[in-house]
Amino acid sequence: MAVPFALERPDQAPKQRYYDPGFFRLEAEQLWPRTWQMAARLEAIPDPFDFITYEILDQSVVVTRAEDGSVRAFQNACRHRGVRIAQGSGRCESGFTCPFHGWCYDAEGKNTAVTRKGTFSEHNLVDGELDLTPVRCDTWGGFAWINLDGSAPPLRDYLGPAATILDAWHIESLQAEWWYACRLPVNWKLAEEAFQEQYHVLEAHPQLRIPGRLPPRGGRPFDPAAWLDAEIHYLHVMSDGMAGMVHANDVKVAEGLRSEFLAGELPEDPLEVMALWQRTLNDAVVAWHRDNEHDIPDLNAIEEQRIAEPMVYGFPHFFVLPMYSSASAYRFRPIGPEETLMEIWSLTRFPDGPREKLPEPEVWECDDPRWPPIPAQDFSNLPRQQQGLHARGFEFMRLSERAEGGVINFERMVDGFLAGLGYDKLLPALQHVNVNPLEQPVRDLGY
């Protein structure tokens, strides 16, 4: 299938991809129904008979915790006249009752009652055809995932390198301490691409230009104490309002370690001092969390395996940003050609045991003053970019193959789905996309 507004050159993205209604419809038909999507945090449905709904475009899915503890999913549509049988989240111990005509379903989706059953013809009451339509569902990493395509590859194969990296971080042990949501007046791809490159960081986030964090040049002296103060200041800035980016607990560990570290014997080479600090802080963070009965991996072992990635991506809409003990997670969902719902979770480590379930968040506008500094700065640029794409003299985005390779790979992955390629071609390509997109080279996706 020919893809309209395709990337004929990898580094040039036609602007219509980000607002054309026909392109958006093609995504709704060819991309979203065929991809694994993060539908819910498992702690949102901790107990048997808990449920939560997941909405993607015109599709609604009910995700439930079964009596045996497994997680299942069903299309959120009564088999009578299509009315959605669930809204939001709640308990379904007594099953679901359609609010329109009273048809009933148990917690496993089986039809248990048809009101005025005798008024229906037998061909409308075929056994098994009245149950809620099952949706493919799996769990991984503390999340429930759904796929509307029964022929899609298994979740773990689909996520590939992303799952392997995050397994090493013990991501399944993380729990949410807060959950935010934002309505962005931009196309979903445009929203995601703001987080798929680091080219923007120093311009969009000037507070991250912290003097003294880089090794000295030109023979200038190196002051370990000044450098360490700058490094700890950086941790504070990253933690400001974001928690999972750098958790406050880890910042406190770093502050408590400062004097002891500087009092020790330090190498003369500044790079060796920086590396020693990183190893020392990793060990101290791990020790603090283990002393508090938190499950946490050996952070230095992760460094040695070269998988200490600052970001891991799961196509088409899921990001995890692990750092020290904790992580931020992002999920993006299209609402319209130029409107997106973005959600942010702060994930950290707690002792084993039940925690209070988080309520679904109020959806804030992108300019809401409650946003922490870093996302507020990102959000301030996105509406201006969406508006700028409509300029008559603007034809396409010029992408840097060296600095924006992750964006290029992502957009060509979109084109693979829109072209209707089979999973024999899409799955190998996903192995190049479900990684850390930051500073990625342009990959050969095989099509």
Side-chain angles (χ1 to χ4, degrees), residues 81-100:
R81 285 170 60 179
V83 175
R84 291 186 174 180
I85 50 97
Q87 290 185 326
S89 60
R91 298 273 298 164
C92 61
E93 192 165 2
S94 57
F96 300 97
T97 299
C98 176
F100 198 5

Side-chain angles (χ1 to χ4, degrees), residues 24-25 27-28 32 54-59 181-189 191 331-343 363-365:
F24 185 77
R25 283 194 300 272
E27 292 174 337
W32 292 100
Y54 173 71
E55 320 289 337
I56 180 66
L57 298 171
D58 62 352
Q59 300 299 301
C182 180
R183 189 196 71 84
L184 293 167
V186 303
N187 181 268
W188 71 276
K189 299 185 298 301
R331 178 174 71 181
F332 295 81
R333 283 182 283 173
I335 301 172
E338 299 183 72
E339 189 173 13
T340 298
L341 177 66
M342 178 189 180
E343 293 156 281
V363 179
W364 297 345
E365 296 299 317

Side-chain angles (χ1 to χ4, degrees), residues 311-325:
M311 176 183 289
V312 182
Y313 180 61
F315 184 87
H317 73 158
F318 179 67
F319 295 72
V320 177
L321 291 75
M323 200 161 181
Y324 298 109
S325 71

Side-chain angles (χ1 to χ4, degrees), residues 179-215:
W179 176 12
Y180 295 158
C182 180
R183 189 196 71 84
L184 293 167
V186 303
N187 181 268
W188 71 276
K189 299 185 298 301
L190 206 68
E192 289 196 23
E193 288 166 13
F195 301 91
Q196 290 177 334
E197 45 84 2
Q198 298 188 103
Y199 188 17
H200 73 284
V201 170
L202 293 182
E203 188 67 32
H205 309 296
Q207 72 272 34
L208 296 180
R209 298 178 183 174
I210 300 173
R213 285 194 69 226
L214 297 177

Side-chain angles (χ1 to χ4, degrees), residues 276-289:
L276 177 61
W277 166 255
Q278 188 62 61
R279 293 193 301 272
T280 303
L281 178 56
N282 283 344
D283 284 338
V285 167
V286 170
W288 187 90
H289 283 274

Side-chain angles (χ1 to χ4, degrees), residues 35-39 136-147 149 151-164 314-318 427 430-431 434:
T35 56
W36 280 101
Q37 299 168 48
M38 191 280 270
R136 195 166 173 193
C137 182
D138 203 349
T139 60
W140 168 82
F143 304 90
W145 301 75
I146 63 97
N147 195 316
D149 184 357
S151 65
L155 172 65
R156 197 63 170 64
D157 294 346
Y158 178 99
L159 289 174
T164 300
F315 184 87
H317 73 158
F318 179 67
L427 192 59
L430 283 165
Q431 311 312 300
N434 287 335

Side-chain angles (χ1 to χ4, degrees), residues 255-285:
E255 290 176 327
L257 199 60
R258 179 187 181 280
S259 297
E260 180 182 350
F261 180 80
L262 292 174
E265 186 173 342
L266 300 178
E268 292 186 8
D269 186 338
L271 293 178
E272 292 183 13
V273 174
M274 295 175 182
L276 177 61
W277 166 255
Q278 188 62 61
R279 293 193 301 272
T280 303
L281 178 56
N282 283 344
D283 284 338
V285 167

